[in-house]
Amino acid sequence: MNKNTTVKKVLILVLILAVPGFLYYLLTAKGKNRYKPLPFYGPKVVAQTGHKFHGKYIPDTIYHKLPDFNLVDQDNQPVSLKSFDNKIFVAGFFYTHCPSICDQVNSNLDSLVKGYAHNKMLHFVSITVDPMHDSPAILKAYAGKQVSSAKWQFLTGDTTTIYNLAAKGFLVNAAHAGNNEFVVDDKLVLIDADKRIRGYYSGTSIIDMNRLNDEIKVLIAEELRKIKAPDL
């Protein structure tokens, strides 16, 4: 990728992030819903309970949720699913010695993190698929090359927890392929405050990153209608 292409990508992201409240205003103008809710991803189960809508009984649906986990961040502080209570977060998988794709994803993610620096509802998480190498100290050094922000955590732990979380929680590919090589998805996953998957995005695609930025705002609008949000 040449320098001009990189500059153009950065400028596109900056322009889109420059007006973070604009889409929210459009979505909630005059107190009305003006957006199509984001879908739910993963397996669904029809519950025994239900509700009425316009006089018609509709069975409730139980959507896939992330399982709990126990990992540590770049400061060696414990992080679990409870750490994201009442929060929206974007998650992805990577490893610090990844040849190229991880750096591209995290470079694009870095621009997004900066655009939401003052939004207390939204957080970002990058989970290593090579915990045997990527200790908290190594993650801290790697994080220092990205953005200095408490909003973006780089997580490590044991391989069983991480690979199960990827496959059964986030529903993405992450595995050790042998010979110091790893299978890692370029997907970023948008998680709502109820720990449900609401979107998948290629972290190497500017089009998908733009869509992620828009759909973060849609999800923020949705959450603000359910709870009294923190200061934005």
Side-chain angles (χ1 to χ4, degrees):
M1 183 184 300
N2 60 46
K3 184 176 180 181
N4 288 337
T5 301
T6 301
V7 170
K8 287 179 181 178
K9 287 186 175 182
V10 171
L11 286 174
I12 290 171
L13 283 173
V14 169
L15 286 172
I16 288 171
L17 293 170
V19 285
F22 181 64
L23 181 59
Y24 171 70
Y25 170 77
L26 292 179
L27 298 178
T28 58
K30 298 182 180 179
K32 297 180 180 179
N33 270 332
R34 296 177 181 274
Y35 65 90
K36 181 179 180 181
L38 301 180
F40 296 89
Y41 291 84
K44 304 174 181 64
V45 176
V46 177
Q48 298 296 319
T49 58
H51 60 280
K52 285 189 176 181
F53 184 73
H54 294 321
K56 182 180 179 181
Y57 178 81
I58 301 175
D60 292 330
T61 301
I62 301 173
Y63 295 101
H64 173 76
K65 290 188 178 184
L66 296 183
D68 197 10
F69 58 84
N70 291 287
L71 300 171
V72 295
D73 67 12
Q74 67 267 34
D75 295 315
N76 206 28
Q77 295 300 305
V79 177
S80 67
L81 198 60
K82 187 172 178 59
S83 304
F84 303 99
D85 281 355
N86 301 317
K87 305 290 184 183
I88 295 167
F89 69 98
V90 176
F93 290 80
F94 84 113
Y95 55 107
T96 59
H97 55 102
C98 179
S100 59
I101 187 172
C102 300
D103 286 343
Q104 187 178 352
V105 171
N106 285 339
S107 177
N108 288 337
L109 192 56
D110 180 75
S111 297
L112 199 62
V113 173
K114 290 174 180 174
Y116 288 92
H118 301 295
N119 189 308
K120 295 181 180 180
M121 183 181 285
L122 180 66
H123 286 259
F124 298 85
V125 172
S126 293
I127 306 170
T128 180
V129 299
D130 186 13
M132 298 297 291
H133 174 270
D134 291 340
S135 65
I138 289 177
L139 290 179
K140 191 172 183 67
Y142 182 88
K145 298 175 184 178
Q146 305 299 321
V147 61
S148 178
S149 172
K151 296 176 64 63
W152 190 0
Q153 292 171 292
F154 294 81
L155 306 184
T156 189
D158 64 85
T159 54
T160 300
T161 297
I162 290 172
Y163 295 160
N164 281 341
L165 183 60
K168 299 178 182 179
F170 291 101
L171 309 180
V172 297
N173 295 318
H176 186 197
N179 298 321
N180 206 33
E181 294 183 359
F182 296 84
V183 174
V184 60
D185 226 318
D186 77 335
K187 294 291 186 294
L188 294 170
V189 189
L190 180 60
I191 306 295
D192 69 18
D194 293 313
K195 316 302 190 296
R196 301 169 299 189
I197 299 172
R198 305 301 296 275
Y200 287 98
Y201 316 85
S202 169
T204 59
S205 165
I206 292 300
I207 292 174
D208 266 21
M209 291 302 293
N210 293 346
R211 182 168 61 88
L212 171 56
N213 182 48
D214 286 343
E215 294 187 357
I216 284 171
K217 297 187 180 82
V218 171
L219 191 53
I220 288 173
E222 179 181 307
E223 296 297 340
L224 286 173
R225 290 182 174 277
K226 295 192 302 182
I227 63 173
K228 182 179 179 181
D231 294 335
L232 299 182

